[in-house]
Amino acid sequence: MAHQIEEAKTGRASCRSCKKPIAKGDLRLGEEVPNAFAAGEVTYQWHHLACAAKKKPLVLEEALQSTVVDVPDRAALQTDIAINKKHQQPTTFPFAERAKTSRSTCLGCSEAIDKGTLRVAVEREVDTGAFVTNSPGYLHAACAQAWLDDKAPLQGGPLLTLLQTNSTGLDEGDIEALKLELST
Ligand SMILES: [Zn+2]
Ligand SMILES: [Zn+2]
């Protein structure tokens, strides 16, 4: 199972985004989340589709791609998703983004990554001395491939493909720039 769109069977569920009830018969998005009361099981959190397009654009997009339900306002929802997902932090590594500050340092070349530069975010294990934890690390786009090949070979496809899938805030120009930098 995964995220799903369905007609509300009752009017008892409330929308997690706006807290208002979801009327019986309305289409709703079920976001699949881990069940806090049963390990390994999942449960659903419900949203009005219009609310989800604003608050959960990535989840709704995934559900729209796989749903067999006829969604009448699909086009409008997709427009909203495109606008709102630019503001969502990506949740899957690796992803690419424009550096929001100049505070990050490249894992590859150890030089600072300037604000506004395209950077690749990867998840890496950090040994704090007391415990090992996962935390995001950053690379210049041009440094990313070599570092990944060496430290964390990618599963699931070429780097560019993964970045295009996982990134949320890139426009066409960013993708082109990324292509160029990855190939240098
Ligand atoms: Zn709502
Ligand atoms: Zn670098």
Side-chain angles (χ1 to χ4, degrees), residues 15 18 48 51:
C15 171
C18 71
H48 295 111
C51 294

Side-chain angles (χ1 to χ4, degrees), residues 15-20 22 47-48 51-52:
C15 171
R16 287 275 173 159
S17 299
C18 71
K19 314 295 182 212
K20 298 196 182 94
I22 300 171
H47 302 263
H48 295 111
C51 294

Side-chain angles (χ1 to χ4, degrees), residues 106-113 139-144:
C106 177
L107 293 171
C109 68
S110 304
E111 305 269 336
I113 301 174
L139 292 146
H140 293 111
C143 299

Side-chain angles (χ1 to χ4, degrees), residues 46-67:
W46 303 104
H47 302 263
H48 295 111
L49 295 188
C51 294
K54 294 185 176 61
K55 301 286 178 130
K56 298 275 177 181
L58 298 176
V59 175
L60 180 59
E61 184 173 50
E62 198 184 307
L64 277 174
Q65 276 162 7
S66 60
T67 192

Side-chain angles (χ1 to χ4, degrees), residues 14 20-21 28 34 36 41 57 70 83 93 101 104 106 119 125 130 136 138 140 159 163 166-167 178 181:
S14 290
K20 298 196 182 94
R28 62 184 183 178
E41 292 184 22
D70 181 36
I83 294 166
F93 292 94
T101 68
S104 60
C106 177
R119 67 180 181 185
E125 286 191 347
Y138 300 100
H140 293 111
L159 179 55
L163 294 178
N166 299 341
S167 306
L178 201 52
E181 292 191 43

Side-chain angles (χ1 to χ4, degrees), residues 6-10 21-29 48-49:
E6 62 161 47
E7 212 171 89
K9 296 177 201 82
T10 72
I22 300 171
K24 182 177 177 183
D26 272 8
L27 289 179
R28 62 184 183 178
L29 169 73
H48 295 111
L49 295 188

